Amino acid sequence: MAVLLDGKALAADIRAEIRLQVQSDIARFGTTPHLVVILIGDDPASQSYVRGKENACLKAGIRSTVLRESQTISEEALLQIIDRLNADPGVHGILLQLPIPRNLNADRIISRIDVRKDVDGFTPENVAALAGGKPGMVPCTPLGVMRLLEKYSIGIQGKHCVVVGRSPIVGKPMAWLFLKDNGTVTICHSKTTDLPSITRQADILVVAVGQPGMITEEHVKNGAVVIDVGISKINDEIRGDVDFDAVFPLASHITPVPGGVGPMTIACLLENTLKCYRRLMESGR
Ligand code: GUN
């Protein structure tokens, strides 16, 4: 029987704290923090995530603007939008909602975001900082996972941390964060042979693949901590990558879906936005 890692409750606490900090920062700096999200096309999942981010900002007292752009926008036009936002002293955070259409070069566009406004931690400078174990902006989802583990006093040092999924948004930064905290890290992916034999070694198992129910009892050892980053919509129901009912009796701790990692991602986005804003204000911009 596992302990539920309640991301919804922890995220609510973090958001309440950020709201207080935003109020005092507005009084101190005389400017409201402002996050601009660029949303391209009409993918329903991205629209729903962006709505969640927008709502959370407003409740925290952070100004939020969503630039909704057509699926057919050119790369040049997008780069011009980013240049304009970089130069705007009233904008403190810029987030390009992913995925973007295939004809656009995501790496080139993300590289154009001013590192000081990179609330996602996706620019090359922030990626290099994290990989090098140096301070920088940390991507929101893996940061949310670390906060959740911390809250439940789950240490990383000496643990075998197995990450399933190698995306630049979750898998890779997750692995670097575990490594920084002295975990022993294994990254698995779609070409890994005999996945269960590796995931069964995990003290902490993080799954970020997007294949509902792929992790079953054969993948998990007794007493493991299981973190489910997957969010898939099936028949109007949100499902994670972990077969919750099968794994719950084995795990020591497990995140529910929904209500686990998802709300933590949003709370950490607010935290990162506040961090970018403060740095810009303190540096006189
Ligand atoms: N799409 C899915 N997750 C994320 C995220 O954390 N940031 C951005 N920008 N897009 C995403």
Side-chain angles (χ1 to χ4, degrees):
M1 281 269 286
V3 172
L4 278 186
L5 299 174
D6 189 345
K8 196 173 166 191
L10 176 56
D13 290 350
I14 293 174
R15 285 168 58 168
E17 173 60 29
I18 288 175
R19 188 180 147 78
L20 293 176
Q21 292 185 18
V22 167
Q23 280 170 351
S24 69
D25 278 0
I26 291 173
R28 179 153 65 117
F29 296 120
T31 308
T32 302
H34 184 194
L35 172 68
V36 177
V37 174
I38 306 169
L39 173 61
I40 303 172
D42 48 15
D43 172 54
S46 289
Q47 287 188 338
S48 158
Y49 293 147
V50 167
R51 261 197 311 276
K53 291 171 183 178
E54 211 179 357
N55 271 332
C57 280
L58 295 179
K59 285 185 185 154
I62 294 172
R63 184 177 162 207
S64 146
T65 302
V66 179
L67 301 179
R68 291 184 168 77
E69 302 299 334
S70 148
Q71 185 81 14
T72 59
I73 189 171
S74 70
E75 193 164 310
E76 200 42 52
L78 200 48
L79 291 172
Q80 276 178 19
I81 290 173
I82 290 174
D83 287 345
R84 179 170 58 75
L85 297 172
N86 284 341
D88 185 341
V91 172
H92 311 100
I94 303 169
L95 183 150
L96 175 69
Q97 184 63 31
L98 301 173
I100 61 173
R102 282 168 163 277
N103 62 305
L104 301 172
N105 182 327
D107 286 342
R108 190 152 55 218
I109 297 162
I110 289 167
S111 310
R112 194 75 156 240
I113 296 173
D114 186 330
V115 63
R116 295 168 304 175
K117 301 188 179 185
D118 175 23
V119 291
D120 259 331
F122 291 169
T123 56
E125 294 91 330
N126 277 320
V127 172
L130 186 57
K134 307 238 162 53
M137 207 55 63
V138 176
C140 307
T141 300
L143 181 60
V145 171
M146 297 307 277
R147 292 265 187 280
L148 202 49
L149 293 172
E150 203 171 76
K151 172 73 184 176
Y152 286 83
S153 305
I154 298 167
I156 308 299
Q157 182 155 308
K159 302 275 178 68
H160 190 181
C161 307
V162 177
V163 180
V164 186
R166 56 177 157 180
S167 75
I169 298 179
V170 185
K172 287 190 187 113
M174 189 78 256
W176 289 322
L177 285 171
F178 283 144
L179 203 51
K180 197 169 162 196
D181 279 0
N182 300 316
T184 301
V185 181
T186 302
I187 306 184
C188 303
H189 46 74
S190 54
K191 302 291 186 288
T192 296
T193 52
D194 196 4
L195 180 67
S197 74
I198 297 171
T199 55
R200 266 202 308 272
Q201 296 172 33
D203 301 309
I204 299 175
L205 176 62
V206 177
V207 192
V209 175
Q211 265 183 43
M214 68 167 285
I215 297 296
T216 62
E217 61 267 48
E218 67 159 340
H219 295 86
V220 178
K221 83 170 171 196
N222 245 317
V225 175
V226 180
I227 308 286
D228 189 349
V229 182
I231 299 179
S232 306
K233 207 168 189 180
I234 295 179
N235 301 331
D236 271 349
E237 215 179 287
I238 304 290
R239 295 270 315 275
D241 288 344
V242 176
D243 180 341
F244 185 90
D245 293 339
V247 170
F248 182 77
L250 287 172
S252 71
H253 300 75
I254 188 167
T255 54
V257 177
V261 176
M264 292 302 299
T265 297
I266 293 192
C268 288
L269 171 63
L270 301 182
E271 197 178 304
N272 281 356
T273 302
L274 187 59
K275 202 166 157 185
C276 285
Y277 159 81
R278 277 186 179 158
R279 284 192 185 155
L280 286 165
M281 299 317 287
E282 280 162 0
S283 70
R285 279 206 64 204

